């Protein structure tokens, strides 16, 4: 009985081993709209931000795509709490779907960041994305991953608009 408790404690401690990378990712995701807003204000050159957004739809799409960052950070933190509670399939499934979102948004920095986080979770748990999605399919798939599906839908919309604009 002591070995079981010790092994569970060490497993939970392993889950906290890479907390700094998750925190860095969440901070960068939350800062994305503010960085985009700062860049837009700098490019406006004292003009109205609303006017800049109206004049160039490409800038508007870029700004909208950056707005997905805070919600992605929220989902990442939520999934991280489930990882600590002993549900590694929840975390791996979320990271897999967030990776798809970043592919659709075509944001290379966050795409690489999600790949790295997925790699860290794989190292900790040994769970592959396909096995986690299969496990979640049998257990509240749409309920647990609905936030990711909203982000995928938003990313698909941004991709469609950016392709129509020739970006």
């Amino acid at each position: 009985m002591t070995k079981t408790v010790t092994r569970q404690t060490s497993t939970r401690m392993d889950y906290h081993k890479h907390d700094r990378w998750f925190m860095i990712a969440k901070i960068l995701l939350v800062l994305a709209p503010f960085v985009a807003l700062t860049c837009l204000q700098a490019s406006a050159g004292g003009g109205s931000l609303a006017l800049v957004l109206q004049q160039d739809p490409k800038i508007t799409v870029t700004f909208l795509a950056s707005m997905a960052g805070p919600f992605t950070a929220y989902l990442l933190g939520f999934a991280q709490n489930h990882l600590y509670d002993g549900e590694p399939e929840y975390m791996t499934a979320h990271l897999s779907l967030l990776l798809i979102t970043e592919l659709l948004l075509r944001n290379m920095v966050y795409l690489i960041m999600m790949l790295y986080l997925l790699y860290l979770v794989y190292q900790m748990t040994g769970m592959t994305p396909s096995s986690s999605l299969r496990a979640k399919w049998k257990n509240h798939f749409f309920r647990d991953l609905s936030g990711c599906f909203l982000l995928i839908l938003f990313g698909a919309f941004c991709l469609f608009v950016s392709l129509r604009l020739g970006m």
Side-chain angles (χ1 to χ4, degrees):
M1 183 178 221
T2 307
K3 289 182 179 180
T4 306
V5 173
T6 306
R7 191 171 57 182
Q8 287 176 349
T9 306
S10 68
T11 302
R12 286 193 180 144
M13 288 174 41
D14 288 342
Y15 288 157
H16 292 280
K17 186 169 62 172
H18 300 294
D19 277 352
R20 64 183 165 157
W21 294 111
F22 287 99
M23 183 57 70
I24 290 169
K26 288 186 278 190
I27 288 171
L28 289 175
L29 286 163
V30 168
L31 290 178
F34 299 110
V35 171
L37 187 62
T38 304
C39 291
L40 284 175
Q41 286 179 339
S43 69
S48 170
L49 182 62
L51 184 63
V52 171
L53 288 173
Q54 288 175 355
Q55 287 176 348
D56 193 0
K58 292 179 182 180
I59 291 175
T60 306
V61 171
T62 304
F63 181 66
L64 279 175
S66 72
M67 297 302 276
F71 188 58
T72 304
Y74 168 74
L75 289 177
L76 189 60
F78 192 68
Q80 194 175 7
N81 289 336
H82 279 272
L83 178 68
Y84 298 152
D85 291 340
E87 295 182 63
E89 68 277 352
Y90 194 93
M91 177 61 142
T92 309
H94 262 78
L95 280 174
S96 303
L97 294 177
L98 292 176
L99 180 72
I100 292 170
T101 301
E102 296 304 330
L103 275 170
L104 291 171
L105 292 173
R106 298 186 299 171
N107 190 338
M108 290 305 294
V109 173
Y110 296 133
L111 178 68
I112 292 169
M113 185 173 64
M114 290 298 162
L115 274 171
Y116 184 67
L117 292 177
L118 190 60
Y119 172 72
L120 290 177
V121 171
Y122 175 73
Q123 277 187 328
M124 288 188 285
T125 64
M127 183 166 281
T128 63
S130 61
S131 65
S132 68
L133 290 171
R134 270 190 306 246
K136 290 311 292 173
W137 183 260
K138 297 173 185 172
N139 186 17
H140 306 293
F141 184 74
F142 291 107
R143 183 193 71 184
D144 290 348
L145 302 173
S146 60
C148 292
F149 290 127
L150 285 174
L151 274 177
I152 288 173
L153 187 64
F154 179 73
F157 171 75
C158 287
L159 178 65
F160 173 74
V161 172
S162 65
L163 290 175
R164 293 286 292 174
L165 292 173
M167 293 175 60

